[in-house]
Amino acid sequence: MEPDILELESFLPYRLYRLADAVSREFSRIYRDRHGLTRPEWRTLSGLGQRGTMTATELGEQSAMHKTKVSRAVAELERRRWLTRTPDENDRRVEHLALTKAGLAAYREMVPLAIAFERELLGRLGAEERAAIVSGVTALEAKLTPEQGIGPRRASPVDQS
Amino acid sequence: MEPDILELESFLPYRLYRLADAVSREFSRIYRDRHGLTRPEWRTLSGLGQRGTMTATELGEQSAMHKTKVSRAVAELERRRWLTRTPDENDRRVEHLALTKAGLAAYREMVPLAIAFERELLGRLGAEERAAIVSGVTALEAKLTPEQGIGPRRASPVDQS
DNA sequence: CCAAACTGGTTTCATTTGTAACCATCGAAA
DNA sequence: TTTCGATGGTTACAAATGAAACCAGTTTGG
């Protein structure tokens, strides 16, 4: 009953990874070609654009990045003068990050491109397929506990690419 | 109508990537803890175990790896004496790769673990959710052209089940 | 009040990765 | 044949990544 070979092409972890990698690679052109951003930098920009102000830790939680990635991405965006740090009043370890005008401009420029990308991607599918991928991903996300790398988490850092 | 912010948590490329990364990271424990394999090494082992004999190029196509990754993975597995290279009779650029007894043993040991992992993962879902993720992934795979990093270059559409 | 444990964030170092250049061989065309 | 462009595969080098050590500031328990 147990097969003694594994069909890689049908193996969900592999398929999922390959799919995500292909999609992400394709999408990355939008921020890489345009501004030479890395994925962590894009996520940082996107997170701050979305929420306005966040600390590095919050950024890491929201966008599933390891703190070192956040740190480096923030440093780079600061170097570009796309964001500024404001020390917290009460806790001097914490810095509140926010986009500058230039950062916000870049963000605003990219949002429609990102949305168009997603729309185009989903547009290749039929309505049922679209529903399937979305609900399937949602279901699986829900089953992955924080310890397994997804979902909000308080203690103990997660690592993601 | 066009929102001027992007909700990262709902953005499919991000969700897909995060999900795949979490799953893959979890799964990687199986081959990493057990034998200290990297992902490219695991894929190489898996590909050869599945098909018996392949060239480096074929390996790269089957398991969606860049040729440098294949090259390095093959070199490492050869160093472990888990695979051997046999020069092609007609084309001296080509080498046919195959697992040794030791390589095959490691492969055979890991296949049930991989299958159990997948089963457990899908087992967390209900039947409908399971169907949704599988058919959703299948649908999206089918829409990604080879140039975008997925899909058979020659024929034989991506597998289901 | 003070030491220990903890937390936000950065840095160091080794490993992994991607890009491009490279070597050898092959195949087609002149 | 000779030449030239493709192809299989490896290597060199730079950039990205992860783990762990680290620094500074904060909290907690005695």
Side-chain angles (χ1 to χ4, degrees), chain B residues 80-154:
Chain B
R80 292 185 185 217
R81 305 195 193 292
W82 280 13
L83 69 74
T84 55
R85 311 175 190 239
T86 309
D88 183 277
E89 296 285 298
N90 308 315
D91 188 337
R92 300 210 314 258
R93 294 169 303 180
V94 177
E95 289 172 325
H96 299 278
L97 309 166
L99 296 183
T100 62
K101 220 146 183 91
L104 207 47
Y107 175 70
R108 290 225 180 87
E109 173 199 339
M110 285 194 279
V111 166
L113 301 174
I115 289 173
F117 177 89
E118 184 186 41
R119 172 149 43 230
E120 192 280 323
L121 184 69
L122 288 171
R124 300 182 203 177
L125 304 179
E128 291 175 22
E129 297 171 323
R130 218 158 29 230
I133 188 69
V134 169
S135 66
V137 166
T138 302
L140 212 39
E141 279 175 347
K143 299 305 180 189
L144 293 182
T145 71
E147 294 73 49
Q148 284 163 331
I150 273 197
R153 270 64 171 172
R154 301 167 306 185

Side-chain angles (χ1 to χ4, degrees), chain A residues 1 101 157 160:
Chain A
M1 201 58 218
K101 220 146 182 86
Q160 270 269 4

Side-chain angles (χ1 to χ4, degrees), chain A residues 23-70:
Chain A
V23 170
S24 174
R25 200 176 288 274
E26 177 75 7
F27 176 61
S28 74
R29 301 231 287 248
I30 289 177
Y31 50 78
R32 196 163 40 70
D33 289 359
R34 236 173 155 76
H35 293 294
L37 294 176
T38 63
R39 182 164 42 221
E41 285 155 19
W42 151 251
R43 285 193 187 169
T44 299
L45 181 71
S46 174
L48 292 177
Q50 177 184 343
R51 300 234 185 130
T53 288
M54 276 195 283
T55 69
T57 300
E58 289 166 343
L59 255 171
E61 281 166 7
Q62 194 223 3
S63 53
M65 294 191 292
H66 185 95
K67 51 183 345 203
T68 61
K69 277 189 183 172
V70 175

